[in-house]
Every structure is written in C-alpha cells, then in structure tokens.
Amino acid sequence: MAGIAHEVNNPIGFLFGSINNSKNYFQDLIDHLTLYQQHYPDPIENIQENAEEIDLPFLIEDLPKLLETMKGATNRIKNISTSLRTFSRADTEHKVSASLHDSLNSTLLILKYRLKANECRPDIKVVKAYETLPEINCFPGQLNQVFMNLLANAIDMFDEAAIQTPYEALVGNPQEITIRTARIEQNTVEVSIGDNGKGMTEAVKAKIFDRLFTTKGVGKGTGLGLAIAHQIVEEKHGGKITVESQPGRGTEFILTLPIND
C-alpha cells in the first residue's frame, strides 16, 4: 500500500501543477481575447458564427470551474494517497511519536467505500468527537490494525442487521458509529469507538477477546481480530481495552493508552 501510494504521488503532483499552470494560461488567453473585443467590437461574420457555434460566453464562464473541479479531484487523490501511507506505515523495533487522529482518519478513509449506502441500507453515519490530543509514543502500524478491526466489525454488524431490517426503518433510525477521543490523565489518552447496533449479551462480552471466539457466521470470521487487538493494546502498548454493551443498546470499545511509555 505504501509503495502504491508513493507511485501515485508523482503523477498526481504533475497533474496538480499542470492544472494550476493551465488556469494561468487560460486567464492570459481570456485577457487577450477581451482586449481584441474592446478594439475590434464588430468581428467579421465567420468569427461571429464560430463564437456562436462554440458558445463562447459559456466556455469562458465554465472552463475555470472545470479546472477548479479537476484541482479538487487531484487533491482528493492526494489525500487518499497520504492516508494509505499513514495507515500502512511500517513499525520499527522502537515506538515512535504519532497522532491518533491521523491513524483514525486514515482508517476511516480506507473504509469509506464500505460506509456508503448499498441496496440494503443507507449510509452509515460517522460522528467524530475529537478533543485536542498530544502525539503518543506507540507502534502506529499496530494501532491502525486495532482501529481497522473495530471499525470493520461495526460495519459487518450493520450489514448483517440491514439484511433483516426494512430499508425505511433504517432511514428513520440511521446506523451510526461514534468515535471519541480525550485526554483523561496527564499521561493517558482514551479512544472510544461505539455503535448504535444490536449490542451483545453478557455471555458474549465475557468471551469477546478470547482467541478463536467469533459471533460471525461460518467462513466470515476467524476469531483472531479482537484477540490480536487486545494483545496490541495491552501487551505492546501497556494500555487497556474494554467493552461496554447491552442487547439493543449498541456496543462501545474503549481504549486507554499511555502518552509516553
């Protein structure tokens, strides 16, 4: 992923610069054309016919908008490329300083296609309640795996629920993922990822971090994701991961992580 992102950056950088140059060139041509029209207000018939044929006033008005749209599209690709690099960064033997918000946002961008509406449900809404956080000392690649697993699990749950729920009911009660961050102590930050889904029983909660335990159907889950997430948070980072849930009341995973460890 990091390699692909790097390869994409070069042509995107070229396109971005070319669009900026094109806007300047086009403005120079318009200024030159305007000068002609001021000094030769009555063009010959062939020029008048050509201006009507190409709809010159519309072209002059619309082309700058088109170039601005292209610039926005290249910015979008550039942001995706940056997110891919952030998400797939390789961890070293030692922890490094990293932004949890960058990790969360890059994971959300990668999962964006799964959050969009499909034939069974509307868009899944994502609410971000971020407080100001310092960078923390961590293995960012491993934490990205944790965020990916928690968010993907919530989306899987919503997809399964949508199959059994009328579309109109989901429109009236949108599926929602809420991500909150906060600094709770001098050396501790908290990240919570919650949903308003079906929730889980006490029996499921008691086993949720057990290796090979899964609530998904045959062939859909390995039972390793949350066990690995638990290991990454608690053993690799000296933090803690807990879950709060009730049937019909949604589920919330809460991560507490040291800022400096």
Side-chain angles (χ1 to χ4, degrees):
M1 288 170 66
I4 291 170
H6 178 74
E7 290 299 322
V8 167
N9 262 358
N10 290 331
I12 288 301
F14 168 76
L15 286 172
F16 191 83
S18 297
I19 291 169
N20 280 333
N21 289 337
S22 297
K23 289 177 66 177
N24 294 332
Y25 296 161
F26 177 70
Q27 190 57 53
D28 289 342
L29 288 172
I30 292 302
D31 292 343
H32 191 69
L33 178 59
T34 301
L35 191 62
Y36 256 104
Q37 290 172 331
Q38 290 173 354
H39 290 279
Y40 299 96
D42 299 312
I44 62 174
E45 184 176 348
N46 284 349
I47 293 178
Q48 290 179 343
E49 289 177 354
N50 182 256
E52 292 175 3
E53 183 179 339
I54 65 174
D55 197 352
L56 183 60
F58 172 78
L59 189 152
I60 291 172
E61 179 185 0
D62 194 61
L63 186 54
K65 298 178 183 177
L66 178 62
L67 290 170
E68 196 62 33
T69 301
M70 293 167 65
K71 185 177 178 181
T74 57
N75 265 329
R76 170 78 175 143
I77 298 172
K78 186 177 180 180
N79 289 338
I80 292 172
S81 174
T82 300
S83 292
L84 285 171
R85 291 203 313 275
T86 299
F87 181 81
S88 61
R89 60 188 295 179
D91 288 329
T92 62
E93 293 182 5
H94 306 286
K95 294 178 180 177
V96 297
S97 182
S99 164
L100 290 177
H101 291 162
D102 285 350
S103 291
L104 287 163
N105 290 335
S106 67
T107 307
L108 284 170
L109 189 57
I110 290 169
L111 287 170
K112 188 172 184 178
Y113 78 102
R114 292 202 58 201
L115 295 165
K116 292 181 178 179
N118 57 39
E119 66 276 6
C120 296
R121 59 163 176 77
D123 289 337
I124 296 172
K125 183 180 179 182
V126 175
V127 178
K128 294 192 286 188
Y130 291 173
E131 294 186 10
T132 301
L133 294 183
E135 291 191 343
I136 75 167
N137 221 26
C138 64
F139 297 108
Q142 293 183 22
L143 288 182
N144 287 343
Q145 293 180 48
V146 175
F147 298 146
M148 173 66 77
N149 185 271
L150 295 177
L151 290 165
N153 279 352
I155 296 171
D156 288 343
M157 178 272 302
F158 280 140
D159 283 342
E160 291 176 10
I163 296 173
Q164 305 167 4
T165 308
Y167 195 95
E168 295 74 17
L170 295 174
V171 172
N173 184 30
Q175 297 171 320
E176 189 172 288
I177 294 172
T178 301
I179 306 173
R180 303 181 189 277
T181 65
R183 185 169 185 167
I184 56 174
E185 294 177 6
Q186 183 64 27
N187 194 45
T188 308
V189 296
E190 182 177 275
V191 178
S192 74
I193 298 176
D195 63 64
N196 63 343
K198 63 183 182 179
M200 63 181 76
T201 64
E202 289 297 322
V204 172
K205 275 177 58 179
K207 298 180 180 179
I208 199 66
F209 296 116
D210 290 355
R211 201 169 186 84
L212 303 182
F213 176 77
T214 180
T215 59
K216 298 178 182 178
V218 177
K220 293 185 178 181
T222 62
L224 296 175
L226 288 176
I228 292 172
H230 185 274
Q231 181 183 24
I232 289 172
V233 172
E234 301 207 352
E235 295 182 22
K236 299 290 187 179
H237 289 85
K240 190 172 182 62
I241 180 170
T242 58
V243 60
E244 295 181 2
S245 183
Q246 294 180 27
R249 301 286 295 273
T251 299
E252 182 181 26
F253 286 90
I254 302 166
L255 291 71
T256 55
L257 294 161
I259 297 172
N260 297 301
D261 184 28

